Amino acid sequence: MTRKIIIDTDPGQDDALAILMAFASPELDVLGITAVAGNVPLALTELNARKICELAGRSDAKVFAGADRPLLRPLITAEHVHGKTGLDGPELPLPTMRLQEQHAVDFMIETLRREEPGSVTLCALGPLTNIAHVLIRAPELAPHIREIVLMGGGFFEGGNITPTAEFNIHVDPHAAQIVLQSGVPVTILPLDVTHKALSTAKRVDRFRAMGTRAGDACVELLEFFERFDEEKYGSDGGPLHDPNVIAYLLKPELYRGRTCNVTVDAANELTLGMTVVDWWGITDRPKNAYYIRDVDDEGFYDLLIERIGRIA
């Protein structure tokens, strides 16, 4: 039985690989892709989402544009990491598939009302603004969501946009608060995991060996994307973040974590966007998220490369 998902994203090179992986996995039924402002402004994230769909050979997929700014804060973007287009690296052609006219939030609400309650998983690869808007406008739909699986946050590894905050959460901490307080089952793939999934030279070579358009594009995406983190961390390859969301859905046995309380600081300048994880159960705050800390990184890359290798 396939798992119905909506991919909420701000592509982003790592988002691109996550979307390719999802399309190449028959276990997943991608109902739609919703774009949000994050790595770059909305006009580019929705364009990039359509480019990736066509790279995957899925021009039939539906892409919707959503929120162009966080709930309460000015938008912060990350061109210094992802390049001016957000998808720098390969020369991907302008897409011929059209952007859907419906707003992403309306699409999510309509889909959650139409599908059987508890059957749709929301896969969040960027800031949580679109999903927060759904929960604000239609809180009665929270029980309809099977799960929200998100890439975001960091506790043991600290932050990557500030010393304490991971980018996706920092961009819209108020949206993250709403998601974590919604009562919807939440699984978090934080920096604590993704920093263990490095795109080493040997792993990039496995994409190169595919000899396909998709494989070649992944090489160019990874080689551009990893340059920033290699310089920052002094590592062989950079962390590959967003595909972990899709890999978790396909093979949760690759990951280890625990259910605990996770809160977000949305008030203090120094720690704005910090995810505070009660890993040791020190407080009596209710457990509200499955927080993943470890990954079988070899198994993750084996799965990622096997799936993307299916795309011509």
Side-chain angles (χ1 to χ4, degrees), residues 57-187:
R58 290 298 306 272
S59 58
D60 60 311
K62 294 182 178 180
V63 176
F64 304 82
D68 63 358
R69 62 179 65 87
L71 294 180
L72 300 175
R73 304 181 63 229
L75 176 64
I76 298 169
T77 54
E79 288 87 351
H80 63 292
V81 177
H82 297 276
K84 64 180 181 179
T85 69
L87 211 59
D88 282 17
E91 289 293 330
L92 298 177
L94 289 173
T96 58
M97 63 184 288
R98 67 184 181 89
L99 179 70
Q100 299 296 307
E101 293 183 4
Q102 188 177 29
H103 192 280
V105 175
D106 294 327
F107 163 73
M108 286 183 173
I109 290 173
E110 179 183 284
T111 302
L112 290 169
R113 284 181 173 150
R114 181 186 69 240
E115 298 291 337
E116 182 180 351
S119 66
V120 177
T121 297
L122 304 182
C123 300
L125 311 182
L128 293 161
T129 316
N130 283 340
I131 296 174
H133 276 297
V134 171
L135 294 167
I136 292 168
R137 285 180 46 190
E140 73 279 4
L141 291 178
H144 287 232
I145 301 170
R146 176 174 175 176
E147 185 179 9
I148 297 171
V149 182
L150 66 94
M151 188 279 131
F155 187 63
F156 301 96
E157 281 286 306
N160 64 353
I161 188 67
T162 75
T164 59
E166 180 275 332
F167 177 81
N168 287 342
I169 305 299
H170 183 73
V171 168
D172 200 341
H174 303 93
Q177 276 187 321
I178 289 170
V179 168
L180 288 167
Q181 294 170 1
S182 67
V184 176
V186 175
T187 295

Side-chain angles (χ1 to χ4, degrees), residues 263-284:
T263 56
V264 174
D265 185 349
N268 299 292
E269 181 179 354
L270 187 63
T271 53
L272 186 69
M274 179 180 181
T275 43
V276 181
V277 181
D278 189 7
W279 183 260
W280 302 112
I282 293 170
T283 74
D284 59 359

Side-chain angles (χ1 to χ4, degrees), residues 175-201:
Q177 276 187 321
I178 289 170
V179 168
L180 288 167
Q181 294 170 1
S182 67
V184 176
V186 175
T187 295
I188 300 175
L189 284 299
L191 299 180
D192 306 309
V193 167
T194 63
H195 279 196
K196 297 174 182 176
L198 299 179
S199 57
T200 64

Side-chain angles (χ1 to χ4, degrees), residues 210-291:
M210 292 176 188
T212 63
R213 179 168 170 260
D216 291 345
C218 287
V219 171
E220 294 176 294
L221 288 165
L222 288 170
E223 288 184 338
F224 183 90
F225 182 54
E226 68 186 7
R227 88 212 184 285
F228 177 81
D229 286 326
E230 284 179 333
E231 181 177 346
K232 181 165 65 171
Y233 300 118
S235 56
D236 175 13
L240 189 56
H241 307 290
D242 294 332
N244 281 278
V245 168
I246 305 303
Y248 171 77
L249 294 180
L250 297 172
K251 283 194 172 183
E253 63 269 23
L254 294 174
Y255 297 88
R256 296 187 305 277
R258 65 177 61 168
T259 302
C260 52
N261 180 269
V262 182
T263 56
V264 174
D265 185 349
N268 299 292
E269 181 179 354
L270 187 63
T271 53
L272 186 69
M274 179 180 181
T275 43
V276 181
V277 181
D278 189 7
W279 183 260
W280 302 112
I282 293 170
T283 74
D284 59 359
R285 293 193 295 266
K287 297 177 179 180
N288 62 344
Y290 182 55
Y291 190 88

